[in-house]
């Protein structure tokens, strides 16, 4: 995008647009030049009228939109009747030069904007002239003339919007350009109203020139009344905002969320890009510097206002307004050096003592949107409300508490935890290690989705309580993220740290009730010790985070950090970036493994009844990367949807290509619960089925048993829609989880695949054979098809046939093959893909 280029290119493009506009203005003057004598007096009159009208712009606020009615359109209508085209354009050019030059010189702005605005206004007048010349203006009392005048003024507004949107696109990109057009659509009534007023004045002047006197009196009176009304309305709005803010402050003090509520609401009231509170360090209390900004969710410690200005306000105790027309030159220079256009800073007082500074910076709306003295008065009143809300010690302590503690659990926040950890690392005790445990609470998202965020908050508070109850003495416990806790303590050795981690994980494990529903609690635990594996707080926290991620795959849910984890993390980061490139470049491969009919009681045993599409990634550096490694990476980096659609598209394309007499080859594709949670996924499936001409009943989606059961409430809507389309659902790895066929009957399941561990153990383990036989019996009772996975021996095939298993899949028939080799395998098995379904055994 253009805005991502070098700033000099921005400037060059902007000046190019200005140059083209000036050329267009000159061309308009040349094309409309007439040898007749120029009506100097009338033209000068309209120059004055344009300047006065432009200074009488009426601004109205409507539902958070700023609507401007430019009264310069009124003299434009009259000029179209009383001046020749050349004089109209020239008068508009001269008036724009006078208006914008004076305005921008006072505002100390460079020449780019005034030149652009002059050209934009002049070309708008030229557009109105073009419409009037093309359509022709008749008598002032002719309705057709009225229509032409209105169209001319609308054309002027359209031209200025086009030019403005082009400049905004060059400087800020598509977003600002779209806002310009939405603003034009919102204020389109303005040009029509101005043209209507101009036409009424024209009719009155045509009746008698003396009507100019009452017209001027009426317009001045109307403008004065409108401005008075807007002023009163603004005052009432300010009073309402102050009343609401006062109530907000009172509620926030009671709920310990004073800073969050105050700064966020301040930014909205002043339409500012940021709002900041700064309380300098005092004695044992640390500094507080928190900012609410448009671009960040929540509060940050990135303060855009220069500290020198804040210190000056605290030292003097006087509020200050700094902007293009306000504040001393020195303060404006300091503000501009910080990249800001305008700011308001007011002191926070506790009695006669100034303890901090409250500030808002940069009003939203561009360079011409700045703060006014009335805004300074409003912020002073707001600061007084904040200061009065609590007494001296309570206010400062509350601010510090909010800055360093989690409002939900009351535990120290990430910032406070890092400081405490760094302090602990600085103290060395012989024969002791500083052990850091990071707890990542499992299934919090599922609790939020199923029972609501209030239940999730209750779960977090219960988890924190259990940790506090079972933590070793003199431990430090903090909440560093939404579902992550850190516990720091001193122990005799790393081995004792591992034992403590397992004990704590067992202590927090177990259900509790929320609204009559039993909710399970568990966590993955990463362990790091100092001085064995880390030198400072940031490093130890980073390594604890890496160990916690690995703990999710550990058998006991606990992982001690070691140097090998670092390389694994780097590998994951590299694979995530490479996977995105591989997907974009089509470098992933889809292999196919056949499904074969087994039961001799069915027609044509040994026939190929379908295939399973399996994704493979031949990495240029690491070789063949296992799906078990890169599919979780795709899920955690937002690429799983793209990956699934790629595999599904290739599978359906091959299904159609390998069609037999009975239609396309049935195809199975593995799915993740995250994909099924996408509400748009069924529509994407329908579109791909239609594109490749594959009937829905020829497509089967496979999802593991545990995913089906644990994600049932979330997955049911998508599964029901796919079932209505005719798509089949298969439960993969059946028998390894904790479900039953009766449970799965609540979902539209047509097939189950017996896990390969039971199938491969049938020949030597009577228990495995009994499990397979039981599953087949229950499946027949519920009319659900069964596929046996992992068949590798002829003896297994015969045993499954004895049990009347309908279908099988495994290396005994074929390994997963690339598309070309699978097609050749089909040819070899049955003599061509066009025949009725082929035979594999």
């Amino acid at each position: 995008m253009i805005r991502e280029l070098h700033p000099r290119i921005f400037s060059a493009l902007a000046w190019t647009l200005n140059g083209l506009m000036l050329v267009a203005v000159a061309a308009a003057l040349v094309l409309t030049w007439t040898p007749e004598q120029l009506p100097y007096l009338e033209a000068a009159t309209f120059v004055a009228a344009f300047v006065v009208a432009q200074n009488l712009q009426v601004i109205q606020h409507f539902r958070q939109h700023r609507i401007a009615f430019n009264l310069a359109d009124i003299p434009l209508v009259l000029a179209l009747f009383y001046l020749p085209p050349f004089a109209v354009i020239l008068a508009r050019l001269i008036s724009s030069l006078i208006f914008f030059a004076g305005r921008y010189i006072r505002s100390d702005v460079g020449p780019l904007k005034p030149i652009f605005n002059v050209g934009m206004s002049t070309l708008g007048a030229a557009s109105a002239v073009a419409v009037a010349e093309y359509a022709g203006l008749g008598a002032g009392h002719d309705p057709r003339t009225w229509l032409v005048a209105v169209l001319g003024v609308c054309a002027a507004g359209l031209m200025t919007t086009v030019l403005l949107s082009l400049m905004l696109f060059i400087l800020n990109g598509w977003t600002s350009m779209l806002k310009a057009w939405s603003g034009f659509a919102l204020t389109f009534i303005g040009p029509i109203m101005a043209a209507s007023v101009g036409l009424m004045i024209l009719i009155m002047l045509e009746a008698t020139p003396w009507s100019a006197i009452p017209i001027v009196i009426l317009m001045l009176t109307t403008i004065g009344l409108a401005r008075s009304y807007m002023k009163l309305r603004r005052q009432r709005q300010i009073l309402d905002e102050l009343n609401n803010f006062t109530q907000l402050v009172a509620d926030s003090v009671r709920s310990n969320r004073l800073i969050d509520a105050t700064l966020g609401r301040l930014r909205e009231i002043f339409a500012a890009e940021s709002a900041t509170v700064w309380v300098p360090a005092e004695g044992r209390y640390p500094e507080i510097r928190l900012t609410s900004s448009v671009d960040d969710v929540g509060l940050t410690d990135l303060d855009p206002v220069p500290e020198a200005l804040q210190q000056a306000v605290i030292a003097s105790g006087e509020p200050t307004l700094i902007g293009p027309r306000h504040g001393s030159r020195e303060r404006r220079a300091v503000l501009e050096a910080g990249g800001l256009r305008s700011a308001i800073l007011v002191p926070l007082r506790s009695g006669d003592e100034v303890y901090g500074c409250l500030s808002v910076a940069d009003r939203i709306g561009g360079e011409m949107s700045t703060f006014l003295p009335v805004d300074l008065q409003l912020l002073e009143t707001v600061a007084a409300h904040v200061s009065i809300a609590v007494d001296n010690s309570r206010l400062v302590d509350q601010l510090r508490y909010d800055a360093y503690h989690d409002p939900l659990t009351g535990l120290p926040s990430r910032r406070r935890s890092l400081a405490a950890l760094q302090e602990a690392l600085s103290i060395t005790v012989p024969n002791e290690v500083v052990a850091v445990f990071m707890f990542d609470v499992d299934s919090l998202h599922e609790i939020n989705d199923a029972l609501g965020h209030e239940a999730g908050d209750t779960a977090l508070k219960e988890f924190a309580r259990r940790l506090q109850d079972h933590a070793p003495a003199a431990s430090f416990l903090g909440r560093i993220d939404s579902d992550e806790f850190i516990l720091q303590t001193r122990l005799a050795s790393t081995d004792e740290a591992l034992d403590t981690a397992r004990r704590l994980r067992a202590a927090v494990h177990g259900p509790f009730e929320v609204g009559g529903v039993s909710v399970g609690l568990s966590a993955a635990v990463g362990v790091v010790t100092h001085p064995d594996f880390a030198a400072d707080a940031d490093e130890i926290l980073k390594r604890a985070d890496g160990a916690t991620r690995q703990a999710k795959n550990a058998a006991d849910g606990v992982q001690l950090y070691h140097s090998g984890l670092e390389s694994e993390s780097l590998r994951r980061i590299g694979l995530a970036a490479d996977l995105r490139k591989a997907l974009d470049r089509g470098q992933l491969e889809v292999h196919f493994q056949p499904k074969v009919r087994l039961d001799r009681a069915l027609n044509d045993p040994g026939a190929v009844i379908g295939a399973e599409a399996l994704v493979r990634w031949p990495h240029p550096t690491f070789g063949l990367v296992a799906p078990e490694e890169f599919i979780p990476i795709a899920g955690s980096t937002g690429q799983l949807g793209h990956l699934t659609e790629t595999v599904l598209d290739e599978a359906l394309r091959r299904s159609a290509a390998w069609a037999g007499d009975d239609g396309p080859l049935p195809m199975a594709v593995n799915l993740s619960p995250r994909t099924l949670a996408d509400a748009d996924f069924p529509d994407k499936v329908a579109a791909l089925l239609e594109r490749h001409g594959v009937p829905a009943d020829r497509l089967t989606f496979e999802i593991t048993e545990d995913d089906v059961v644990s994600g049932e409430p979330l997955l049911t809507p998508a599964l029901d829609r796919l079932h209505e389309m005719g798509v089949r659902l298969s439960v993969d790895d059946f028998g390894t989880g904790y479900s039953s066929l009766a449970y799965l009957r609540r979902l539209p399941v047509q097939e189950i695949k017996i896990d390969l561990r039971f199938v491969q153990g049938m020949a030597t383990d009577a228990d495995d054979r009994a499990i397979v036989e039981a599953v087949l019996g229950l499946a027949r009772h519920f009319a659900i098809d069964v596929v046996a996975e992992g068949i590798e021996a002829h003896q297994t095939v015969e045993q499954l046939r004895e049990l009347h298993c309908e279908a099988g899949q495994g290396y005994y028939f074929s390994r997963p093959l690339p598309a070309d080799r699978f097609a050749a395998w089909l040819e070899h098995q049955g003599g061509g893909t066009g025949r009725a379904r082929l035979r594999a055994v």
Side-chain angles (χ1 to χ4, degrees):
M1 189 176 289
I2 297 177
R3 61 178 174 173
E4 296 174 355
L5 302 178
H6 196 278
R8 292 183 180 177
I9 298 179
F10 299 165
S11 179
L13 290 172
W15 277 109
T16 300
L17 179 59
N18 269 358
L20 293 175
M21 290 171 58
L22 294 178
V23 170
V25 169
L29 291 172
V30 171
L31 291 174
T32 57
W33 168 254
T34 53
E36 292 82 9
Q37 183 178 2
L38 181 69
Y40 294 102
L41 181 60
E42 292 86 348
T45 302
F46 275 99
V47 168
F50 278 126
V51 173
V52 172
Q54 207 153 355
N55 276 290
L56 294 177
Q57 186 180 52
V58 177
I59 300 174
Q60 180 66 26
H61 294 272
F62 176 72
R63 292 182 181 178
Q64 298 182 345
H65 292 281
R66 186 173 178 265
I67 305 175
F69 299 95
N70 193 339
L71 299 184
D73 290 334
I74 296 175
L76 178 60
V77 172
L78 300 174
L80 293 175
F81 283 91
Y82 292 117
L83 293 179
F86 174 83
V88 175
I89 299 173
L90 182 62
R92 193 70 183 98
L93 173 62
I94 295 173
S95 65
S96 296
L97 285 170
I98 295 172
F99 177 80
F100 287 112
R103 186 178 186 186
Y104 281 102
I105 288 173
R106 290 195 304 271
S107 297
D108 193 23
V109 177
L112 179 66
K113 289 182 71 71
I115 292 176
F116 173 78
N117 285 326
V118 168
M120 182 174 63
S121 301
T122 308
L123 287 179
S127 301
V129 168
V131 172
E133 287 297 299
Y134 178 81
L137 291 171
H141 56 77
D142 186 359
R144 181 183 176 280
T145 300
W146 303 347
L147 178 61
V148 172
V150 171
L151 291 176
V153 172
C154 291
L158 180 62
M159 173 59 74
T160 57
T161 301
V162 169
L163 294 173
L164 181 61
S165 62
L166 285 174
M167 181 62 78
L168 290 175
F169 173 71
I170 290 173
L171 297 177
N172 300 318
W174 282 105
T175 304
S176 296
M177 181 179 179
L178 294 175
K179 287 182 179 179
W181 280 102
S182 62
F184 173 75
L186 185 66
T187 59
F188 192 75
I189 190 65
I192 297 177
M193 292 178 60
S196 301
V197 173
L199 288 171
M200 288 188 291
I201 295 174
L202 172 66
I203 294 171
M204 295 174 67
L205 291 175
E206 288 289 305
T208 172
W210 290 102
S211 61
I213 297 175
I215 289 173
V216 171
I217 296 173
L218 178 62
M219 291 189 66
L220 292 177
T221 303
T222 302
I223 293 170
L225 291 174
R227 289 193 167 184
S228 297
Y229 168 75
M230 287 188 292
K231 184 177 180 180
L232 289 172
R233 183 171 179 176
R234 176 59 179 163
Q235 290 174 346
R236 179 176 179 180
Q237 181 182 359
I238 290 174
L239 290 174
D240 289 340
E241 289 174 344
L242 282 175
N243 181 58
N244 295 335
F245 187 85
T246 303
Q247 185 61 45
L248 177 68
V249 169
D251 295 341
S252 301
V253 169
R254 286 192 294 269
S255 62
N256 294 335
R257 298 301 300 272
L258 181 60
I259 293 182
D260 304 60
T262 299
L263 293 183
R265 184 65 185 128
L266 270 182
R267 191 170 48 76
E268 295 173 1
I269 291 176
F270 290 91
E273 294 187 3
S274 65
T276 301
V277 61
W278 179 52
V279 178
E282 180 181 0
R284 64 183 181 87
Y285 295 110
E287 174 191 57
I288 297 174
R289 187 184 298 274
L290 295 172
T291 298
S292 171
S293 63
V294 174
D295 298 327
D296 296 307
V297 178
L299 302 182
T300 69
D301 55 4
L302 302 176
D303 184 359
V305 179
E307 185 174 323
L309 297 176
Q310 296 171 326
Q311 289 175 338
V313 168
I314 292 178
S316 65
E318 295 296 328
T320 181
L321 167 62
I322 309 173
R325 303 183 187 180
H326 303 94
S328 65
R329 180 176 301 177
E330 293 77 15
R331 289 188 173 183
R332 289 203 301 268
V334 174
L335 191 69
E336 290 170 2
L340 300 177
R341 300 186 306 273
S342 62
I344 309 176
L345 299 91
V346 298
L348 290 173
R349 301 178 184 276
S350 180
D352 295 331
E353 179 186 359
V354 176
Y355 64 84
C357 177
L358 190 64
S359 61
V360 292
D362 277 358
R363 173 158 281 172
I364 298 172
E367 292 186 9
M368 296 308 298
S369 297
T370 59
F371 298 112
L372 301 174
V374 67
D375 297 316
L376 176 62
Q377 297 174 4
L378 177 58
L379 187 59
E380 284 187 272
T381 307
V382 166
H385 280 290
V386 174
S387 298
I388 294 172
V390 287
D391 58 32
N392 300 358
S393 59
R394 183 180 178 186
L395 176 58
V396 177
D397 288 344
Q398 186 69 61
L399 291 175
R400 291 192 171 100
Y401 186 88
D402 287 349
Y404 292 101
H405 288 79
D406 168 43
L408 177 65
T409 62
L411 296 176
S413 65
R414 183 186 188 90
R415 183 184 306 176
R416 178 71 187 96
S417 298
L418 275 172
L421 180 55
Q422 190 61 50
E423 183 180 351
L425 297 182
S426 65
I427 302 173
T428 302
V429 179
N431 301 321
E432 281 189 356
V433 297
V434 176
V436 176
F437 308 91
M438 182 177 289
F439 296 81
D440 189 333
V441 182
D442 295 333
S443 304
L444 184 62
H445 294 297
E446 287 78 359
I447 295 174
N448 288 334
D449 292 339
L451 302 175
H453 286 274
E454 185 175 351
D457 291 345
T458 303
L460 288 172
K461 288 189 286 187
E462 173 65 15
F463 187 88
R465 186 192 64 79
R466 294 183 183 184
L467 267 184
Q468 286 176 312
D469 291 345
H470 295 89
S475 296
F476 178 92
L477 180 62
R479 183 187 180 196
I480 61 172
D481 205 349
S482 60
D483 55 358
E484 292 181 351
F485 295 80
I486 185 173
L487 189 147
Q488 163 214 317
T489 190
R490 290 183 178 273
L491 298 171
S493 65
T494 299
D495 291 339
E496 185 177 345
L498 272 174
D499 293 340
T500 301
R502 296 188 180 101
R503 179 181 63 79
L504 288 173
R505 186 175 185 272
V508 300
H509 183 80
F512 74 102
E513 284 196 1
V514 178
V517 178
S518 180
V519 176
L521 270 184
S522 183
V525 188
V527 184
V528 186
T529 57
H530 170 83
D532 300 328
F533 299 115
D536 57 40
D538 288 325
E539 184 179 15
I540 205 169
L541 203 60
K542 181 182 73 173
R543 292 181 172 178
D545 186 59
T548 305
R549 286 198 302 270
Q550 296 297 322
K552 295 179 180 180
N553 301 319
D556 60 356
V558 177
Q559 176 67 57
L560 175 67
Y561 174 84
H562 56 80
S563 57
L565 297 181
E566 199 76 29
S567 59
E568 292 179 18
S569 298
L570 293 175
R571 174 182 167 93
R572 282 179 57 87
I573 294 172
L575 287 177
D578 293 343
L579 179 59
R580 189 178 301 278
K581 296 177 184 176
L583 283 169
D584 293 339
R585 298 171 183 174
Q587 294 174 344
L588 268 68
E589 298 178 358
V590 179
H591 290 196
F592 300 88
Q593 187 176 34
K595 293 182 180 180
V596 177
R597 182 175 291 124
L598 298 181
D599 194 352
R600 290 195 179 95
L602 302 173
N603 292 329
D604 198 13
V608 177
I609 59 174
E612 181 179 359
L614 300 164
V615 65
R616 296 292 184 264
W617 183 13
H619 193 280
T621 302
F622 302 118
L624 191 64
V625 182
E628 293 79 7
E629 183 175 9
F630 70 82
I631 289 178
I633 291 175
S636 62
T637 56
Q639 303 177 72
L640 188 59
H642 188 184
L643 175 62
T644 302
E645 291 178 38
T646 299
V647 176
L648 181 58
D649 183 66
E650 177 66 9
L652 293 178
R653 185 171 73 86
R654 297 296 181 179
S655 173
W658 296 329
D661 293 344
D662 56 348
L665 179 67
M667 195 65 68
V669 176
N670 291 287
L671 282 189
S672 163
R674 187 174 299 183
T675 303
L676 282 172
D678 180 4
D680 297 328
F681 180 69
D683 295 331
K684 296 174 183 177
V685 174
L688 287 173
L689 288 170
E690 184 177 359
R691 179 195 303 173
H692 295 288
V694 176
D697 61 358
R698 292 282 164 163
L699 173 62
T700 299
F701 283 131
E702 296 184 3
I703 183 169
T704 64
E705 176 187 8
D706 285 348
D707 288 336
V708 167
V709 176
S710 62
E712 183 198 8
L714 189 62
L715 305 184
T716 299
L719 294 177
D720 287 340
R721 287 187 60 195
L722 291 170
H723 179 65
E724 292 170 2
M725 292 164 50
V727 176
R728 291 165 51 85
L729 174 65
S730 175
V731 179
D732 201 3
D733 299 338
F734 188 82
T736 60
Y738 48 83
S739 68
S740 67
L741 282 173
Y743 182 93
L744 295 177
R745 287 294 290 171
R746 296 205 293 266
L747 295 171
V749 175
Q750 292 83 33
E751 176 186 281
I752 60 174
K753 300 181 73 174
I754 304 176
D755 186 74
L756 58 86
R757 282 172 285 184
F758 301 117
V759 175
Q760 292 174 351
M762 288 177 60
T764 57
D765 192 323
D767 291 339
D768 287 344
R769 179 185 172 92
I771 291 174
V772 173
E773 187 173 4
V775 170
L776 286 168
L778 288 172
R780 279 191 290 270
H781 175 77
F782 289 111
I784 295 177
D785 297 335
V786 178
V787 177
E789 294 185 286
I791 300 175
E792 296 183 353
H794 181 74
Q795 182 181 2
T796 305
V797 174
E798 294 302 322
Q799 287 182 324
L800 289 169
R801 281 174 170 164
E802 290 175 5
L803 298 176
H804 302 290
C805 180
E806 295 93 343
Q809 178 181 350
Y811 287 0
Y812 176 75
F813 306 109
S814 173
R815 293 176 177 271
L817 300 173
D820 54 347
R821 292 179 58 192
F822 185 79
W825 183 86
L826 287 176
E827 293 279 353
H828 175 73
Q829 293 297 325
T833 56
R835 305 203 174 170
R837 196 54 55 205
L838 312 173
R839 295 178 57 82
V841 291

